[in-house]
Amino acid sequence: MNQSKLELQNVKITLDENIILNDINLSIQNGEIVSLMGSSASGKTSLIRSIAGYQNISSGNIKIDNSVVDNSNEFISVDKRNIGVIFQDLALFPHLTVRENICFGLFKDTEINQNSRALELENMLNIGLIKNRYPHQISGGQQQRVAIARAMAPKPTILLLDEPFSALDQELKDNLMIDIKKILKKEQTTAILITHDPKEAFTMSDKIAFLSDGKIAQYDTPYNLYHKPSSKEIANFFGITSFMKAKVKDANHVDTVLGTIFGNTQDFKANEEVYVLIRPDDIIHDDDSTESAKVIDKVFYGSDFLYHLELKDRQRIYCYTPSHHNHSLNESIGIKPVIDHLMLFKNQL
């Protein structure tokens, strides 16, 4: 059974008398990787700064390994929380080599132990060949790996990462995320990642906490944030989204312009007008289908087209289609819904 590594209980955070976050409850298990997401100014950075100990909370409790580190009676300082932090600017020491940067937090260990731990991380992160170079002599991706190694060298209780991949190009970012996740899992390091990029969160995370209106609006797996969002805001944040009009038929069906769709409708009344969440992968191109839609726009992604389609009642939806199906604008194509997760909302934004 996993032990809770971090507990936030009814946490409130204020800044200049303005409430940033309120009634935050969050439990992160040992070895879990959790992403914090939300729109700009939703409180993500304030939350990890409070977890790290750079700012006090206004009320509530923060516990690490079941010990209180911040509440109205107790405050444990940054240097005593054993938390590793990687900020956006990395902040490598320019006058120290890669090896010296990695060993910086190990000053209490013997030189043999320092070099042994550094060598272990250098091998994991594939930076052994640059151990004697200085930060200005290595690439951005290598600097990122050094920053990760330096933060992980003391084996922190929790590792906090604030937009660590934002300055990297996509290919480098993709490779680095996979490598870092493997290392975090191998070391059983509990990590919290701030990112604005859903792809980063999906790749790295066991769970995602979405912040909105000063609260955690949904705390769930990446799969559920995408397929089972609790609000339209979350649905729109995590991918291309359309909302199609529907009417509840019974406890398991809704009627739409594309026919009757099966799914759980028990939170809604019969004949109630609702909106169905439609992802581009919920609609497939099928030449044999009796239903059709007109192509009003398209984007080429190499292996796929993203088609923007207009239905016969003028509603518009999106559809991913393999790129060998190259249709023209204003052309009608056959489509059918393949919706495994029926998500209904009361009204459209």
Side-chain angles (χ1 to χ4, degrees):
M1 183 176 180
N2 283 340
Q3 177 187 355
S4 178
K5 179 62 65 173
L6 175 69
E7 288 276 349
L8 277 65
Q9 301 170 330
N10 304 315
V11 167
K12 180 180 181 180
I13 299 173
T14 59
L15 185 62
D16 298 328
E17 299 184 356
N18 295 314
I19 297 175
I20 306 299
L21 294 168
N22 195 22
D23 197 27
I24 299 295
N25 291 279
L26 182 66
S27 178
I28 299 177
Q29 304 304 306
N30 185 43
E32 275 191 320
I33 303 172
V34 172
S35 285
L36 295 180
M37 302 197 75
S39 60
S40 179
S42 60
K44 303 183 293 292
T45 297
S46 292
L47 187 55
I48 68 163
R49 285 179 59 82
S50 295
I51 293 169
Y54 290 111
Q55 66 186 62
N56 296 68
I57 60 175
S58 301
S59 61
N61 290 287
I62 297 179
K63 293 182 179 180
I64 297 175
D65 285 331
N66 291 320
S67 296
V68 173
V69 296
D70 193 355
N71 66 11
S72 57
N73 299 313
E74 181 122 24
F75 181 80
I76 304 299
S77 61
V78 177
D79 57 308
K80 295 179 181 178
R81 293 195 189 189
N82 190 26
I83 288 179
V85 183
I86 301 173
F87 291 114
Q88 216 167 335
D89 60 3
L90 303 184
L92 295 177
F93 300 112
H95 62 291
L96 300 182
T97 65
V98 165
R99 171 62 66 88
E100 290 167 342
N101 264 281
I102 295 171
C103 291
F104 181 80
L106 302 174
F107 61 91
K108 292 183 180 179
D109 284 355
T110 65
E111 186 175 348
I112 292 176
N113 287 343
Q114 287 182 34
N115 287 323
S116 175
R117 178 61 172 159
L119 180 61
E120 180 183 26
L121 289 165
E122 288 164 2
N123 288 336
M124 285 184 188
L125 287 158
N126 195 27
I127 52 176
L129 295 177
I130 60 169
K131 66 181 181 181
N132 294 319
R133 296 183 189 176
Y134 291 89
H136 71 275
Q137 297 174 318
I138 60 178
S139 69
Q142 289 170 328
Q143 290 179 19
Q144 198 75 54
R145 290 173 184 268
V146 176
I148 294 286
R150 186 181 64 179
M152 293 187 66
K155 298 186 177 180
T157 300
I158 299 169
L159 182 64
L160 306 177
L161 304 98
D162 189 356
E163 299 276 7
F165 309 113
S166 59
L168 304 179
D169 64 65
Q170 192 61 52
E171 183 178 1
L172 184 59
K173 183 191 298 187
D174 290 344
N175 293 331
L176 187 58
M177 285 191 296
I178 292 169
D179 288 346
I180 289 175
K181 183 173 183 178
K182 287 179 181 177
I183 292 166
L184 291 173
K185 288 301 182 183
K186 182 178 180 180
E187 298 249 311
Q188 274 291 290
T189 302
T190 304
I192 302 174
L193 167 71
I194 285 183
T195 177
H196 66 278
D197 185 345
K199 185 177 180 181
E200 287 182 19
F202 290 163
T203 300
M204 292 287 293
S205 311
D206 298 304
K207 291 181 180 175
I208 298 171
F210 187 85
L211 301 177
S212 179
D213 294 327
K215 299 182 182 298
I216 296 177
Q218 188 170 352
Y219 182 45
D220 216 329
T221 63
Y223 186 89
N224 284 344
L225 265 293
Y226 182 80
H227 286 293
K228 301 177 182 179
S230 62
S231 70
K232 288 180 180 165
E233 178 190 11
I234 296 172
N236 287 322
F237 191 94
F238 284 98
I240 298 169
T241 307
S242 307
F243 294 97
M244 185 170 63
K245 294 178 182 178
K247 181 177 285 188
V248 176
K249 184 175 182 180
D250 54 37
N252 294 295
H253 299 87
V254 294
D255 288 327
T256 75
V257 66
L258 295 179
T260 299
I261 299 174
F262 175 82
N264 185 355
T265 69
Q266 293 180 6
D267 292 335
F268 299 87
K269 300 175 182 178
N271 297 316
E272 185 174 355
E273 292 184 351
V274 293
Y275 289 87
V276 179
L277 168 65
I278 303 290
R279 298 288 193 193
D281 46 312
D282 290 328
I283 304 296
I284 65 170
H285 175 25
D286 181 1
D287 288 326
D288 296 325
S289 175
T290 58
E291 300 293 339
S292 64
K294 182 171 70 175
V295 178
I296 58 173
D297 200 3
K298 66 179 184 178
V299 180
F300 181 58
Y301 286 125
S303 60
D304 300 284
F305 277 111
L306 174 65
Y307 283 117
H308 198 188
L309 304 174
E310 186 174 85
L311 303 175
K312 58 189 177 186
D313 66 351
R314 308 298 293 274
Q315 292 190 84
R316 294 181 176 184
I317 59 174
Y318 291 93
C319 170
Y320 282 128
T321 301
S323 62
H324 57 272
H325 293 284
N326 186 10
H327 295 284
S328 303
L329 295 182
N330 297 315
E331 182 179 349
S332 289
I333 63 173
I335 60 167
K336 69 177 181 181
V338 182
I339 299 174
D340 293 327
H341 306 279
L342 182 64
M343 290 298 300
L344 303 181
F345 295 91
K346 285 186 176 295
N347 47 52
Q348 190 174 15
L349 296 178

